[in-house]
Amino acid sequence: MTKKWTNTYLIPYVLWIGLFVVAPLAMVLYYSFFDIQGHFSFENYLRFFTPIYLKMAISSIGYAFFITFFTLLVAYPTAYLLTRMKNRRLWLMLIILPTWINILLKAYAFIGLLGTYGPVDTLLAMSGAGRRQILFTGSSFVFVSVYLFIPFMILPIYNSLEKLNSSFVEAAYDLGASAWATFRRVIFPLTLEGVKSGCQAVFIPALSLFMLTRLIAGNRVITLGTAIEEHFLVTQDWGMGSTIAVFLILAMVVVMALMGKGWLKRW
């Protein structure tokens, strides 16, 4: 009887997964085999391996890597400091709070901050550096992306640091290890699972960014996400857009596999 009820409770979950995960993925895969005229073809997959799309894929992976790297560089010390603060829950809430604001609103806020005659540009002019074109550059795209993804990196690292047994750290100091040696050989390895979870939470969505490439980078940064949007909404070439999406999904699966527990044990 218990097993029967358990199977009954699983029905809504299975329906949800089937309708909103499996079905969309199957549709993407299906449309990837049709050209712009609606004929069955493998042309889209052959086109993907041409220089223009390969360059786009490399650019996407490169920008996702830099976004993840700089996010980790800021998030780990922040999470470490949070675990040692008295009002840590309050500070953690202040870090999470910006995630409740729509990403589009935050993007437009940065357009005002980084744009010509904005506060940042004005400060540079007052300091004698002169007015600079900050907005619509690759650097501004990475900077804004890092800001948006920081909370998603901090949370898993913070949880790992909270669960860390302090006796291991104390034992390292008692044995004469320096602060850097303790961090490198004790703290970081024991919180590596949180680091990998954070990297996964940042790298995967960073691969498919497209709105920020228009608003912040001014289309000077072209990613696979931008190409998908372009094919679906502008050129109406759903087949090529679906093909790019298939390769993007495969890249995400590879990242998830590398960040999985099996690879974690082999670290």
Side-chain angles (χ1 to χ4, degrees):
M1 187 71 177
T2 307
K3 186 177 181 181
K4 181 181 176 182
W5 279 109
T6 303
N7 293 335
T8 304
Y9 292 143
L10 282 174
I11 292 173
Y13 174 76
V14 172
L15 287 174
W16 180 273
I17 295 296
L19 287 173
F20 299 107
V21 178
V22 178
L25 291 177
M27 288 179 65
V28 167
L29 184 63
Y30 172 77
Y31 279 114
S32 69
F33 291 105
F34 291 88
D35 60 21
I36 195 168
Q37 285 83 27
H39 303 301
F40 182 86
S41 172
F42 291 97
E43 180 189 350
N44 295 326
Y45 286 91
L46 296 175
R47 282 173 60 193
F48 184 84
F49 290 99
T50 55
I52 183 170
Y53 289 106
L54 288 177
K55 184 179 178 182
M56 209 177 293
I58 293 169
S59 175
S60 297
I61 293 170
Y63 274 108
F65 172 79
F66 281 116
I67 290 167
T68 306
F69 174 75
F70 287 117
T71 304
L72 177 62
L73 211 60
V74 176
Y76 201 102
T78 304
Y80 187 80
L81 288 173
L82 277 173
T83 58
R84 276 148 181 76
M85 298 178 79
K86 290 183 178 179
N87 300 320
R88 64 184 72 174
R89 295 190 182 277
L90 173 63
W91 287 105
L92 196 62
M93 178 59 69
L94 292 175
I95 290 170
I96 297 171
L97 201 60
T99 62
W100 298 355
I101 302 171
N102 187 278
I103 187 173
L104 189 62
L105 295 176
K106 289 186 280 190
Y108 278 113
F110 273 104
I111 290 174
L113 288 170
L114 303 177
T116 307
Y117 303 109
V120 176
D121 193 41
T122 304
L123 284 173
L124 287 173
M126 291 173 62
S127 65
R131 296 193 179 274
R132 306 281 180 179
Q133 179 60 41
I134 303 172
L135 199 60
F136 306 139
T137 61
S139 300
S140 63
F141 169 68
V142 172
F143 176 79
V144 175
S145 300
V146 168
Y147 166 79
L148 294 175
F149 286 127
I150 276 179
F152 303 103
M153 182 72 80
I154 288 177
L155 287 174
I157 295 174
Y158 173 82
N159 288 332
S160 293
L161 287 167
E162 277 281 275
K163 294 174 184 177
L164 178 65
N165 192 336
S166 59
S167 62
F168 293 126
V169 180
E170 292 169 3
Y173 285 129
D174 289 341
L175 292 171
S178 63
W180 170 245
T182 302
F183 171 77
R184 186 167 57 89
R185 294 181 176 274
V186 179
I187 299 174
F188 189 77
L190 291 177
T191 57
L192 194 58
E193 189 173 347
V195 171
K196 291 186 178 183
S197 298
C199 289
Q200 184 177 327
V202 173
F203 189 86
I204 290 176
L207 270 177
S208 56
L209 283 174
F210 66 93
M211 186 177 63
L212 289 182
T213 58
R214 295 190 181 278
L215 296 177
I216 304 298
N219 279 342
R220 295 186 182 184
V221 174
I222 305 297
T223 63
L224 291 178
T226 310
I228 292 171
E229 181 201 23
E230 198 73 24
H231 283 300
F232 271 98
L233 301 181
V234 181
T235 65
Q236 297 293 306
D237 189 354
W238 288 21
M240 193 62 217
S242 298
T243 303
I244 298 170
V246 167
F247 281 101
L248 193 58
I249 292 166
L250 288 174
M252 292 176 180
V253 170
V254 169
V255 172
M256 291 175 69
L258 290 176
M259 296 295 179
K261 293 205 178 277
W263 189 65
L264 180 65
K265 290 176 182 178
R266 292 193 297 270
W267 180 274

